[in-house]
Amino acid sequence: MNLRLPGLVDGHVHLREPGGEHKENIASGTAAALTGGVTMLLAMPNTSPPIVGAEGLRLVQRLVGETALCDVGLFVGAAEDNATQAAALSAETAGLKIYMDQTYGPLRMRGLAALLTHFATWPARRPIAVHAEGLSVAMAIGLARSFGRRLHLCHISRADEIALIRAAKASGADVTCEVTPHHLFLTEADAGRLGPYGSMKPPLATQADVEALWAHLDGVDCIATDHAPHTRAEKEGAEPPPGVPGLETMLPLLLTAVAEGRLSMERLVELTHDGPQRIYGLPVQAETWVEVDTDARYTVTSDLLHTRCGWNPFEGMDVQGRVRQVVLRGQTVFRDGRIKAAPGYGRVVVPNQ
Ligand SMILES: [Zn+2]
């Protein structure tokens, strides 16, 4: 059956430009997005150099305007000393991204002083998105409550984290959270099989954690890919960087879950469109939709994928559901495996004021 869905909004993507163009750039990353039915994405600031002020933001806005194939919103990153500059950019960014735990890139925050300054300075009406794992989730919720800030918890992956977020929401905290497809569809057993290609932050979890994510999906606000490409050479090097691509496989995996009765189509749309739009206050894309064939069965391979890194952790998995066509602002931008959009058709996304 062919079905129309709204264009997906992916709230967590690493486009790697500037500084990591050998892994991905804005053109290849947004091509991967359209292939997966994603018409709007939010790009993370841990590029090289990172986006921590007006100069870096202007550069990436210009690159998006020249080369993007889908619409792109941008995060500003928290550094030790940029709270005022970051807050000044709040109206034109999706949110402030704070790295409270170790990940790829230079933006890890250390110590309480800079965190306090950021939570006190960032405008209360705009979200603060955090990379927080384990105890850091509790720290982030405590900081947000203390300063009356809106908190979004990225890539939640553990049963105890989900339990804490449920309790925080029940107590009235202004907290939202996301989960990734790799934490929903892969476990630590897959990490053993995949080796460096199964390494990411947070790492793949136990079967019990994965079951907890599915069981408590009603308490999850959105699904985001955390698309984080690295080359095969980097992954097979002495110190493989964490991260996996995911833009092209999110929708087929979720459509498979719908076919298996694990997820309703209505909930799929909430988690990949309504949820991220609500969390970040994103504009509606007019005349924008994705046509999917919900009967198409195939095995995920790496050869048809548009991401520059050329591999995928879901390779070999049988899925049901294929993206046939993507229409953005009335124009066909993807059809049957081919990109139809011209570079620069995508726009910089400015949140609703
Ligand atoms: Zn990330």
Side-chain angles (χ1 to χ4, degrees), residues 12-14 44 46 97 99 103 131 154-155 201 226-228:
H12 192 145
V13 173
H14 299 270
M44 285 296 163
N46 61 334
K97 177 68 186 286
Y99 289 90
T103 185
H131 177 137
C154 299
H155 44 51
K201 294 282 189 181
D226 195 6
H227 177 85

Side-chain angles (χ1 to χ4, degrees), residues 214 217 223 254 257-265 267-268 271:
W214 281 100
L217 211 53
I223 294 176
L254 293 176
V258 172
E260 291 169 349
R262 305 169 76 192
L263 181 69
S264 71
M265 195 65 86
R267 191 75 184 117
L268 183 158
L271 288 165

Side-chain angles (χ1 to χ4, degrees), residues 6 19 43 53 55 65-66 97 110 137 157 187 232 262 287 324:
E55 196 185 339
E66 290 170 359
K97 177 68 186 286
R110 293 173 194 282
V137 175
S157 62
T187 69
R232 286 183 189 272
R262 305 169 76 192
E287 289 183 77
R324 299 296 308 271

Side-chain angles (χ1 to χ4, degrees), residues 283-302:
V284 173
Q285 295 173 297
E287 289 183 77
T288 297
W289 45 270
V290 179
E291 183 188 322
V292 296
D293 176 355
T294 56
D295 299 320
R297 292 168 183 265
Y298 56 101
T299 302
V300 175
T301 59
S302 292

Side-chain angles (χ1 to χ4, degrees), residues 101-167:
D101 286 299
Q102 189 57 54
T103 185
Y104 178 74
L107 285 178
R108 166 109 191 249
M109 299 286 286
R110 293 173 194 282
L112 186 56
L115 283 172
L116 289 181
T117 310
H118 274 290
F119 274 88
T121 309
W122 184 258
R125 68 181 186 286
R126 299 294 306 152
I128 297 175
V130 296
H131 177 137
E133 301 178 34
L135 284 172
S136 299
V137 175
M139 270 166 50
I141 292 171
L143 283 162
R145 291 215 84 164
S146 302
F147 289 92
R149 293 303 187 266
R150 291 181 55 200
L151 183 72
H152 179 69
L153 294 152
C154 299
H155 44 51
I156 288 303
S157 62
R158 298 295 193 274
D160 47 6
E161 295 168 350
I162 281 284
L164 172 59
I165 293 162
R166 284 186 86 85

